[in-house]
Amino acid sequence: MGKILSSKELMKYISKMNSDNSVFQFSIPGKGRFTLVLQEEDEKSIHMEADENPELKRMLKESQEQYENGRGMSTKELLKSIRL
């Protein structure tokens, strides 16, 4: 178990992580023990997922058309519209 004394030191360990070296256990004095696990990103793009799923493709196209026609809504507007 490694002992980390600075954020720079922690970043050094993180930068060396890969699929063969994907778990790092360390302690930070005064905080406790930690286990850091590298989970590789799924490189599948939303475009590829839409090509595989016709329903998703239809929903994305419909959403884009509505946005382009000015029928979009901000998160704030959406939350305001569903408040009880």
Side-chain angles (χ1 to χ4, degrees):
M1 179 174 300
K3 190 175 193 178
I4 300 295
L5 300 174
S6 71
S7 57
K8 186 175 182 179
E9 189 177 357
L10 179 58
M11 288 308 296
K12 182 180 87 174
Y13 281 102
I14 291 172
S15 68
K16 292 180 183 177
M17 293 179 82
N18 57 36
S19 57
D20 294 326
N21 179 25
S22 61
V23 177
F24 175 53
Q25 294 183 323
F26 60 98
S27 66
I28 298 176
K31 293 293 181 186
R33 291 184 283 170
F34 299 86
T35 300
L36 183 64
V37 178
L38 173 66
Q39 296 179 323
E40 293 188 33
E41 291 184 44
D42 184 6
E43 294 186 19
K44 199 181 244 190
S45 72
I46 195 162
H47 179 73
M48 289 172 61
E49 288 186 30
D51 285 342
E52 293 173 3
N53 183 338
E55 180 67 11
L56 176 60
K57 189 172 193 167
R58 182 195 62 76
M59 289 169 53
L60 289 170
K61 183 179 179 188
E62 191 175 287
S63 176
Q64 186 174 12
E65 288 170 356
Q66 289 179 1
Y67 176 78
E68 289 169 356
N69 291 328
R71 295 181 59 205
M73 184 183 287
S74 71
T75 303
K76 185 176 182 177
E77 293 168 329
L78 174 65
L79 292 173
K80 195 175 186 179
S81 74
I82 61 174
R83 279 205 183 129
L84 302 174

